[in-house]
Amino acid sequence: MRIINFKKLMLLLGIVSLTTLNSCLDEDNYNEQNNKDYKLIEQYLAENNLEATKSPYGFYYTVIESNDTGEEVKEDDILSIFYEMKILNGAIIDEVKESSGIPKKINIVTNSIFPQGIIMGSALMKEGEKYRFYIPSNLAYGSYSYESLIPSNAVIIMETKIAKIEDEDDQKQFEKATIETYITDNNITDINETDFGAFYKKTENGTGDSPIEGNRVKTKYVAKYLDGTEFSKTETDKTFDFTVGTESIIKGVNESIKLMQKGEKATFIIPSNLAYYSSLQIFPETIREDLLEKGLISQKIPPFTNLIFEIELVDIN
């Protein structure tokens, strides 16, 4: 069993952190901002007669609901969490309530989470527990701001409950069930699950051979989320060309294209483990577009997102 190693966690966060979202502060200014944040947190605790423990890693926390027999968080675990995130004045930034019944899922360590304090705090918890975290700006959004929702150098309070701890196999089964429900609800016929886990529906026959690894293929495609929203497609008079088997293409497309013949059109429903999996996990998700527009991140697809690809195999070289 691999329990979270905080030193390793800090190293990984340093490698994959969103440091570009913070202003380039020198050490003195960095420490000055930290001291301001700590004073604000301690003042808030005193004024509200609250107690909290200061972590060696810079955030404060309070155990609201404990579960001594709960499963401990391990590296690569997938946590289903309910939470409320707000700034010190009480304004809500983001929340997923237990009454919704649909938690947010986060993957521990494998990819970065923004703000970083969330993953660090979650690593302390067990399944079934609820904590309140007081997170200074350097572990939150830094100098980044977004409209009136997130002010620059905001100290945040986050109440988190871990409803369930799962692993990659659990997530694969969940996504398969989700796709099967989508197929049933939308009355999709003549669609089959492939050996590698995607679902394949041929919509127009092709002729000749299928591509193999190393072949250069010309394609046209439309990529969608399960709700029908398009997030990428080829322009009308252009093709998207790639070499089969290269890591620049998601596994789901690499494997799917091998099933097609030249001239064929097909629809593939691809689970996230064959696409972008946990991706970059952002709280709140609504700021992703702003971060993309500002060039601060490059990961467009939200985590654990099943995708639909409508592909035409135009040519094989």
Side-chain angles (χ1 to χ4, degrees):
M1 179 179 292
R2 292 181 297 164
I3 306 302
I4 292 294
N5 180 315
F6 259 99
K7 289 184 178 179
K8 183 177 180 182
L9 174 60
M10 290 297 289
L11 175 61
L12 288 169
L13 286 172
I15 293 171
V16 299
S17 67
L18 304 178
T19 52
T20 55
L21 296 177
N22 291 312
S23 59
C24 298
L25 298 175
D26 59 36
E27 186 174 355
D28 288 341
N29 287 332
Y30 178 86
N31 290 333
E32 181 181 355
Q33 184 61 52
N34 269 349
N35 290 333
K36 286 180 180 178
D37 291 347
Y38 295 150
K39 287 179 181 178
L40 285 172
I41 292 171
E42 289 165 3
Q43 181 180 347
Y44 178 90
L45 294 172
E47 289 176 350
N48 291 278
N49 295 314
L50 298 169
E51 294 184 0
T53 302
K54 186 177 180 182
S55 160
Y57 300 97
F59 58 90
Y60 295 68
Y61 65 94
T62 302
V63 180
I64 300 174
E65 298 174 11
S66 61
N67 181 20
D68 293 339
T69 61
E71 181 181 346
E72 295 181 303
V73 174
K74 306 180 297 299
E75 290 181 35
D76 298 323
D77 274 345
I78 297 169
L79 312 184
S80 293
I81 66 169
F82 296 104
Y83 63 92
E84 178 187 79
M85 180 192 292
K86 60 186 179 182
I87 56 180
L88 280 181
N89 68 8
I92 302 294
I93 296 175
D94 192 22
E95 62 182 353
V96 174
K97 296 182 177 180
E98 287 188 70
S99 58
S100 72
I102 305 174
K104 183 180 179 82
K105 293 192 174 187
I106 62 174
N107 189 202
I108 294 294
V109 175
T110 300
N111 281 309
S112 56
I113 292 177
F114 181 58
Q116 294 176 352
I118 294 171
I119 189 172
M120 295 171 67
S122 299
L124 293 177
M125 302 174 67
K126 296 178 181 178
E127 187 175 67
E129 292 190 328
K130 184 175 184 179
Y131 277 42
R132 183 185 298 116
F133 300 101
Y134 305 89
I135 304 176
S137 62
N138 73 301
L139 296 176
Y141 299 97
S143 61
Y144 173 76
S145 63
Y146 179 73
E147 299 179 351
S148 61
L149 186 67
I150 303 171
S152 181
N153 296 315
V155 175
I156 65 172
I157 301 173
M158 184 158 178
E159 288 192 3
T160 302
K161 181 169 185 177
I162 298 180
K164 194 173 185 180
I165 297 177
E166 298 176 292
D167 59 22
E168 185 175 348
D169 288 337
D170 295 323
Q171 182 64 22
K172 285 181 180 179
Q173 291 304 311
F174 174 78
E175 291 181 3
K176 179 180 179 180
T178 299
I179 292 172
E180 289 173 340
T181 298
Y182 172 85
I183 290 169
T184 300
D185 290 348
N186 289 275
N187 300 310
I188 301 173
T189 57
D190 300 320
I191 187 167
N192 298 296
E193 184 178 6
T194 65
D195 292 340
F196 55 88
F199 289 76
Y200 170 32
K201 177 179 174 66
K202 186 182 294 188
T203 55
E204 189 172 314
N205 288 329
T207 58
D209 295 331
S210 298
I212 59 174
E213 291 204 11
N215 283 157
R216 187 77 176 168
V217 294
K218 294 180 179 291
T219 69
K220 289 182 174 292
Y221 75 91
V222 177
K224 306 176 181 178
Y225 301 123
L226 290 192
D227 66 3
T229 302
E230 293 183 8
F231 64 87
S232 182
K233 65 179 179 180
T234 48
E235 296 179 27
T236 303
D237 58 344
K238 294 184 178 180
T239 59
F240 177 70
D241 305 347
F242 65 94
T243 300
V244 179
T246 55
E247 293 183 359
S248 60
I249 305 301
I250 61 171
K251 183 176 181 179
V253 171
N254 259 321
E255 296 301 319
S256 296
I257 204 74
K258 297 175 189 176
L259 302 177
M260 302 179 69
Q261 295 175 293
K262 180 179 176 179
E264 180 181 329
K265 295 181 180 179
T267 297
F268 295 92
I269 305 177
I270 298 175
S272 80
N273 67 87
L274 298 174
Y276 299 96
Y277 195 49
S278 60
S279 182
L280 171 61
Q281 301 163 95
I282 296 175
F283 292 74
E285 183 59 40
T286 52
I287 68 173
R288 185 180 295 269
E289 285 299 321
D290 184 60
L291 296 173
L292 284 164
E293 287 176 8
K294 291 176 178 176
L296 298 172
I297 64 170
S298 59
Q299 297 92 330
K300 183 175 184 178
I301 310 302
F304 305 115
T305 302
N306 301 321
L307 304 175
I308 298 171
F309 277 82
E310 298 172 355
I311 301 175
E312 177 185 356
L313 179 52
V314 177
D315 200 3
I316 306 170
N317 295 314

Short mmCIF file of all heavy atoms in Angstrom, two decimals, residues 6 53-61 120 124:
data_model
loop_
_atom_site.label_atom_id
_atom_site.label_comp_id
_atom_site.label_asym_id
_atom_site.label_seq_id
_atom_site.Cartn_x
_atom_site.Cartn_y
_atom_site.Cartn_z
N PHE A 6 4.71 12.98 1.60
CA PHE A 6 4.59 14.42 1.39
C PHE A 6 5.81 15.02 0.71
O PHE A 6 5.69 15.95 -0.09
CB PHE A 6 4.31 15.13 2.72
CG PHE A 6 2.86 15.47 2.89
CD1 PHE A 6 2.04 14.68 3.66
CD2 PHE A 6 2.32 16.59 2.26
CE1 PHE A 6 0.70 15.00 3.81
CE2 PHE A 6 0.99 16.91 2.41
CZ PHE A 6 0.17 16.11 3.19
N THR A 53 -5.15 23.62 12.87
CA THR A 53 -3.76 23.20 12.95
C THR A 53 -3.01 23.70 11.73
O THR A 53 -3.51 23.59 10.60
CB THR A 53 -3.66 21.66 13.00
OG1 THR A 53 -4.39 21.19 14.13
CG2 THR A 53 -2.21 21.21 13.09
N LYS A 54 -1.82 24.25 11.94
CA LYS A 54 -1.02 24.69 10.81
C LYS A 54 -0.14 23.55 10.34
O LYS A 54 0.65 23.00 11.09
CB LYS A 54 -0.15 25.90 11.19
CG LYS A 54 0.59 26.49 9.99
CD LYS A 54 1.38 27.73 10.37
CE LYS A 54 2.10 28.31 9.16
NZ LYS A 54 2.92 29.49 9.51
N SER A 55 -0.30 23.20 9.07
CA SER A 55 0.53 22.16 8.47
C SER A 55 1.94 22.69 8.24
O SER A 55 2.13 23.87 7.96
CB SER A 55 -0.08 21.72 7.14
OG SER A 55 0.87 21.08 6.32
N PRO A 56 2.95 21.81 8.30
CA PRO A 56 4.31 22.24 7.95
C PRO A 56 4.42 22.75 6.51
O PRO A 56 5.39 23.42 6.16
CB PRO A 56 5.14 20.97 8.13
CG PRO A 56 4.34 20.10 9.03
CD PRO A 56 2.91 20.41 8.73
N TYR A 57 3.43 22.43 5.70
CA TYR A 57 3.48 22.81 4.29
C TYR A 57 2.73 24.10 4.00
O TYR A 57 2.55 24.48 2.85
CB TYR A 57 2.98 21.65 3.42
CG TYR A 57 3.84 20.45 3.63
CD1 TYR A 57 3.45 19.45 4.52
CD2 TYR A 57 5.08 20.34 3.01
CE1 TYR A 57 4.28 18.35 4.75
CE2 TYR A 57 5.91 19.24 3.24
CZ TYR A 57 5.50 18.26 4.12
OH TYR A 57 6.31 17.20 4.35
N GLY A 58 2.24 24.77 5.08
CA GLY A 58 1.79 26.13 4.89
C GLY A 58 0.30 26.38 4.92
O GLY A 58 -0.13 27.53 4.86
N PHE A 59 -0.51 25.35 4.98
CA PHE A 59 -1.95 25.56 5.07
C PHE A 59 -2.43 25.18 6.47
O PHE A 59 -1.75 24.47 7.21
CB PHE A 59 -2.70 24.76 4.01
CG PHE A 59 -2.47 23.27 4.07
CD1 PHE A 59 -3.29 22.44 4.84
CD2 PHE A 59 -1.44 22.67 3.34
CE1 PHE A 59 -3.07 21.07 4.90
CE2 PHE A 59 -1.22 21.30 3.40
CZ PHE A 59 -2.03 20.50 4.18
N TYR A 60 -3.61 25.64 6.84
CA TYR A 60 -4.22 25.31 8.11
C TYR A 60 -5.40 24.36 7.86
O TYR A 60 -6.03 24.41 6.80
CB TYR A 60 -4.76 26.57 8.79
CG TYR A 60 -3.72 27.58 9.21
CD1 TYR A 60 -2.99 28.31 8.26
CD2 TYR A 60 -3.48 27.86 10.55
CE1 TYR A 60 -2.05 29.25 8.64
CE2 TYR A 60 -2.54 28.81 10.95
CZ TYR A 60 -1.83 29.50 9.98
OH TYR A 60 -0.90 30.45 10.36
N TYR A 61 -5.71 23.52 8.85
CA TYR A 61 -6.82 22.60 8.65
C TYR A 61 -7.52 22.27 9.96
O TYR A 61 -6.93 22.34 11.05
CB TYR A 61 -6.35 21.30 7.98
CG TYR A 61 -5.40 20.46 8.81
CD1 TYR A 61 -5.87 19.42 9.61
CD2 TYR A 61 -4.02 20.71 8.79
CE1 TYR A 61 -4.99 18.65 10.37
CE2 TYR A 61 -3.15 19.95 9.54
CZ TYR A 61 -3.63 18.92 10.32
OH TYR A 61 -2.77 18.16 11.08
N MET A 120 -2.76 18.82 -1.64
CA MET A 120 -1.97 18.65 -0.43
C MET A 120 -2.86 18.35 0.77
O MET A 120 -2.56 17.49 1.60
CB MET A 120 -1.13 19.90 -0.18
CG MET A 120 -0.08 20.14 -1.25
SD MET A 120 0.73 21.75 -1.08
CE MET A 120 1.60 21.46 0.46
N LEU A 124 -4.07 14.31 3.41
CA LEU A 124 -4.14 14.06 4.85
C LEU A 124 -5.34 13.19 5.24
O LEU A 124 -5.38 12.64 6.33
CB LEU A 124 -4.27 15.39 5.62
CG LEU A 124 -3.10 16.36 5.60
CD1 LEU A 124 -3.51 17.63 6.35
CD2 LEU A 124 -1.87 15.74 6.22
#
